[in-house]
Amino acid sequence: MARLPVTIRDMHLGDVEAVAEIEAEAFADAWPPSAFLDLLSHGYARLRVACEGSGEIAGYCVLLRAADEGEIANICTTLARRGCGVGAQLLDDALHLADTADVAAVYLEVRTSNGPARDLYGSRGFELVGRRRQYYQHPTEDALVLRRVRPVRSPA
Ligand SMILES: CC(C)(COP(=O)(O)OP(=O)(O)OC[C@H]1O[C@@H](n2cnc3c(N)ncnc32)[C@H](O)[C@@H]1OP(=O)(O)O)[C@@H](O)C(=O)NCCC(=O)NCCS
């Protein structure tokens, strides 16, 4: 499928309703709108949305930071836009933000059965570093813990 060009920007309060709808469509254990609202008020989180030319939100990503470590806490695209490169653009944006903020390593958890997400993370340099038994509910499943270390900068 052709890559859908999107503009990626910070999430605003007014985006939360649309984002929570996409979230509910994607996850059995979806974050409630209050989870996004809470994170928007905290300085340690970057919440980003991918917008189509019409302004419609095609996906979002939540990057958390603690000291020199980051975590992709959430990444999701609308069902209608899966496989159009939106997830990849959101992840590249989050990793760029992490790299420029001197985050040494970015972690995330993913369901063992989530092939599309695992392929995406693998293509961006994430490697398996652990497993959390029965971490997910609905259905119960292990989480794989992946880590992507910041690439070494070449000397100027
Ligand atoms: C995971 C997710 C964010 C990927 O977003 P996306 O926009 O569909 O992915 P992209 O189109 O950017 O694809 C990027 C890469 O992911 C992989 N991928 C995407 N869809 C795939 C599929 N259906 N099967 C296998 N691999 C797939 C491919 O490696 C692809 O690389 P390519 O462009 O070279 O083919 C999206 O599928 C999604 O929202 N899933 C539901 C929520 C979720 O599972 N989030 C992750 C929780 S850890």
Side-chain angles (χ1 to χ4, degrees):
M1 204 181 284
R3 181 181 155 106
L4 180 77
V6 288
T7 304
I8 300 180
R9 61 163 173 80
D10 284 326
M11 193 186 295
H12 304 141
L13 285 177
D15 299 320
V16 168
E17 192 179 338
V19 165
E21 276 177 23
I22 299 169
E23 170 84 5
E25 181 185 55
F27 297 108
D29 51 353
W31 289 10
S34 59
F36 293 98
L37 291 169
D38 285 351
L39 286 171
L40 278 172
S41 63
H42 286 100
Y44 59 79
R46 282 302 287 275
L47 294 90
R48 306 281 281 172
V49 288
C51 299
E52 300 185 35
S54 61
E56 196 169 339
I57 295 175
Y60 54 89
C61 182
V62 177
L63 172 70
L64 306 182
R65 179 173 185 182
D68 68 344
E69 290 187 350
E71 182 187 348
I72 304 287
N74 202 336
I75 181 167
C76 188
T77 57
T78 61
L79 273 175
R81 296 307 190 196
R82 298 262 168 92
C84 298
V86 175
Q89 291 174 77
L90 279 163
L91 185 58
D92 288 342
D93 169 77
L95 294 176
H96 176 71
L97 289 174
D99 289 346
T100 52
D102 271 340
V103 170
V106 175
Y107 291 80
L108 58 79
E109 284 125 16
V110 61
R111 282 183 180 269
T112 51
S113 66
N114 194 342
R118 289 179 61 182
D119 285 352
L120 171 60
Y121 302 142
S123 73
R124 265 55 187 181
F126 280 87
E127 293 178 335
L128 182 66
V129 291
R131 177 185 282 262
R132 300 209 165 106
R133 302 269 170 210
Q134 304 193 340
Y135 179 80
Y136 292 106
Q137 307 299 312
H138 315 295
T140 303
E141 191 174 351
D142 291 357
L144 301 178
V145 183
L146 308 185
R147 179 183 65 195
R148 180 261 194 189
V149 175
R150 184 181 62 214
V152 178
R153 289 188 200 123
S154 46

